[in-house]
Amino acid sequence: MLRTPVVLITGASGEIGHGLITSLSAHNHRRIITLDVKALEPDLGKLVHQEVIGSILDVALLERILAEYEVDLVFHLAALLSTRSEFTPMAAHQVNVEGTLHLLEFAQRQGESHGRPVVFLYPSSIAAYGLPDLPTKDRAGRVLEDDYNTPSTMYGCNKLYCEHLGRYYARHYKRLAPETLAGKVDFRAIRFPGLISAVTVPSGGTSDFAPEMIHAAAQGKAFPCFARPDTRIPFMAMPDGVTALLQLAAAPHENLTRTVYNIGAFNPSAAEIEAIVRKAFPFAEISYQVDVKRQGILDSWPADVDDSAARHDWGFTPQYDLDRAFDEYLIPTIRQRYR
Ligand code: AKB
């Protein structure tokens, strides 16, 4: 029996999945299979060929997908984010590391069975960095991919290790076997900054203070911000994040000089975000109730990233700078949403 070629999206009901499914179904001819423990919103569910409800840790389920479909593109989005992972480090390791290992092995087996490399897109994070203190963060400025790779969160450790696992599968898998088995997984990772979506609200992350502030203001809810006003990390509008994943997936393999790429768009402080939000929603009730422990995580993340490799190798160019992101995407869409 001929298997059908498809794209597989894990963690599809999360924030990135939302935009990715919409974009993929509009522009890509492959059928979409999703795998998530949570059901998709009904409107999104209509855009996919099959919605599999289940866990990436369920090997039997992955076997069934392997038997039925010819997967040649994977977006492995399933993960527990940084704040959530600090409360449940064992669960984080299971989902973020063991889950990724299962998916890499699944992609390897797919590649071996249909004879073409499986392009494997992995959203890593600025959490893979760990700056030891604020003076170092100030001095470091725009960090390169290989600098400060000493994360201080479970999530960051998980992401950094999975970047290495992906590189291992792509370049060195079973290197002592008589035949060459590496290269069946074409692993490509993006270190995402905090993503801000106008249509979904994040949960379990530490960069969440920014999207939470905007969504709370639009709903007329008071927002006690858990980050200090001078907190500065990189952010990006969700449509640019989704476009970046699709662009990297489509990039010719020979153009890629690395397996992991930084991407950035803007990096306002919490106070600068507050000022923009207040301009749009003058009655916003924003105060600061700093959570010293979560702040410690934010302080360990870089203030900005150097994304010249992504710009050079696969033409990454964000469409939304800070002003455009707020004026043309976030504020109008969010206003509409809570009308
Ligand atoms: C988080 O805050 O955990 C995520 C991330 C920066 O990866 N949004």
Side-chain angles (χ1 to χ4, degrees), residues 81-82 125-126 155 194 205-207 301:
L81 298 183
S82 53
S125 161
I126 48 164
Y155 172 71
T206 316
S207 63
W301 292 351

Side-chain angles (χ1 to χ4, degrees), residues 24-103:
L24 263 179
S25 64
H27 301 115
N28 191 289
H29 303 302
R30 284 196 202 81
R31 290 175 179 178
I32 303 172
I33 307 298
T34 59
L35 172 59
D36 200 313
V37 281
K38 282 212 309 253
L40 294 174
E41 286 171 18
D43 282 352
L44 276 186
K46 288 187 199 134
L47 303 177
V48 310
H49 175 69
Q50 190 185 349
E51 181 182 348
V52 181
I53 310 277
S55 164
I56 49 168
L57 298 170
D58 182 344
V59 177
L61 194 59
L62 291 176
E63 289 291 334
R64 285 213 295 280
I65 299 175
L66 183 74
E68 196 169 340
Y69 295 105
E70 195 173 290
V71 177
D72 50 15
L73 178 57
V74 176
F75 292 92
H76 174 41
L77 310 180
L80 297 191
L81 298 183
S82 53
T83 291
R84 170 93 192 275
S85 294
E86 272 332 286
F87 288 109
T88 53
M90 288 293 286
H93 193 275
Q94 268 166 4
V95 174
N96 297 346
V97 175
E98 288 167 40
T100 301
L101 185 62
H102 284 166
L103 257 294

Side-chain angles (χ1 to χ4, degrees), residues 167-223:
R167 184 177 48 79
Y168 165 74
Y169 269 77
R171 300 196 180 152
H172 308 291
Y173 182 71
K174 287 194 179 167
R175 59 191 298 171
L176 299 183
E179 71 277 46
T180 304
L181 291 167
K184 303 282 186 244
V185 179
D186 184 350
F187 179 84
R188 305 171 179 201
I190 290 179
R191 283 215 188 129
F192 277 109
L195 290 168
I196 313 182
S197 170
V199 290
T200 54
V201 188
S203 80
T206 316
S207 63
D208 294 5
F209 69 90
E212 280 174 2
M213 186 189 287
I214 309 164
H215 283 266
Q219 293 171 85
K221 289 186 183 162
F223 181 66

